[in-house]
Amino acid sequence: MNRNESFAAPDVGTLAVRLAWASAEIITDDVEDLLIHVAGDDHDVSELKITLQEGRLVIEQPTYGLSIHQLHSERWMQLLIRIPRSWKGAVDANTITAALKVRGISGSDITLDSVSGSVQAAALTSITTTLRTVSGSISLSGGCGEKLSLRTVSGSINADGAAYDAYRVNTVSGDASLALEQPFTQLEGVSVSGRIRVYAPMDRVDAVLRSVSGRLRTSGVSIQPDAPKASVSAVSGDFEINCSLAATIEEE
């Protein structure tokens, strides 16, 4: 079954997506309205709730009676949400087990959340961007704004081409790797055993690792007290910060 709905962009200030096992892709496109395309089993598609109240567009998959067996069944439903390039609202999307993909969104605040599914984001622009998962992976390609927050328990984190002023990274056992497009003003991290690795075009930083057995490693970066701050707390996790400019010179 296919289902298509549209909403006038000026009427929507916040897009909220609440899914269980259905996957979703949110992209910008050359459209005037917010367009929602749904495909899947007749019963599941018809039960999907899509409502607009006081500027908040909510797309919600009912979870009543949801069981572990259902989460791992072969049932499927896919959502494609197309947003006008000029739209600048907030996005708050989450799913339990399926993939969540977001590309090209420019808004006030963007939050993407999954339990075991992957979170894949590209070319985001917002004041604050938050990507969270428990055991799924987080992948960010491009993105700019004031603050980027990345959080996982056991999943991996990979951010490439990010250009934010401040970063916060939280992990328990998963590893995090950040390749930054511009120098940061502040970076904070918390880890138990996962490694946090940062590549940034800067040769000086005030880096501190508070850890029981983890190590602080630097490459092409000098530690100076008056430089941008990078602080990580860990139990056994390592914190590594590298000058990406130095790495480029060595490759050439």
Side-chain angles (χ1 to χ4, degrees):
M1 177 179 179
N2 293 322
R3 178 179 174 185
N4 300 300
E5 300 203 25
S6 65
F7 296 86
D11 295 340
V12 181
T14 299
L15 171 64
V17 182
R18 304 283 181 262
L19 302 176
W21 44 263
S23 62
E25 184 172 3
I26 307 172
I27 63 173
T28 54
D29 206 344
D30 295 323
V31 295
E32 295 184 0
D33 299 328
L34 273 78
L35 305 179
I36 303 169
H37 310 281
V38 187
D41 177 82
D42 290 3
H43 178 265
D44 296 323
V45 172
S46 62
E47 278 207 330
L48 185 70
K49 297 179 180 180
I50 302 177
T51 59
L52 175 62
Q53 292 183 343
E54 299 181 347
R56 185 177 178 85
L57 177 58
V58 180
I59 305 170
E60 185 174 14
Q61 184 179 18
T63 57
Y64 52 79
L66 193 66
S67 66
I68 296 298
H69 174 73
Q70 287 177 302
L71 291 176
H72 292 86
S73 69
E74 295 182 357
R75 296 165 61 186
W76 68 279
M77 182 163 66
Q78 296 178 336
L79 282 76
L80 172 61
I81 304 170
R82 300 161 65 198
I83 296 176
R85 299 187 191 280
S86 59
W87 188 76
K88 305 295 180 183
V91 175
D92 184 1
N94 65 60
T95 181
I96 296 178
T97 63
L100 181 58
K101 301 179 181 180
V102 179
R103 183 177 75 250
I105 302 300
S106 178
S108 55
D109 296 285
I110 299 174
T111 300
L112 308 178
D113 197 340
S114 178
V115 177
S116 60
S118 63
V119 174
Q120 303 173 39
L124 304 182
T125 302
S126 67
I127 298 172
T128 301
T129 297
T130 302
L131 309 180
R132 296 185 296 237
T133 183
V134 177
S135 59
S137 62
I138 293 175
S139 174
L140 173 66
S141 177
C144 61
E146 293 183 8
K147 184 176 181 180
L148 174 63
S149 178
L150 304 167
R151 180 179 300 175
T152 186
V153 176
S154 59
S156 62
I157 296 175
N158 286 283
D160 187 13
Y164 293 84
D165 296 327
Y167 296 83
R168 182 165 183 82
V169 182
N170 290 71
T171 178
V172 176
S173 59
D175 291 342
S177 178
L178 284 68
L180 311 184
E181 193 70 19
Q182 67 181 32
F184 57 79
T185 57
Q186 185 177 13
L187 187 148
E188 298 179 2
V190 177
S191 171
V192 176
S193 60
R195 177 175 61 180
I196 298 177
R197 177 185 293 172
V198 178
Y199 296 88
M202 49 202 307
D203 57 7
R204 52 195 293 273
V205 66
D206 184 2
V208 177
L209 172 65
R210 298 176 179 87
S211 176
V212 176
S213 59
R215 295 183 179 182
L216 170 62
R217 297 182 173 89
T218 64
S219 176
V221 178
S222 61
I223 299 179
Q224 300 181 18
D226 59 342
K229 295 186 180 298
S231 176
V232 172
S233 299
V235 177
S236 59
D238 295 339
F239 175 38
E240 181 179 327
I241 184 162
N242 306 271
C243 178
S244 59
L245 293 178
T248 302
I249 294 173
E250 290 177 3
E251 290 177 0
E252 294 177 349

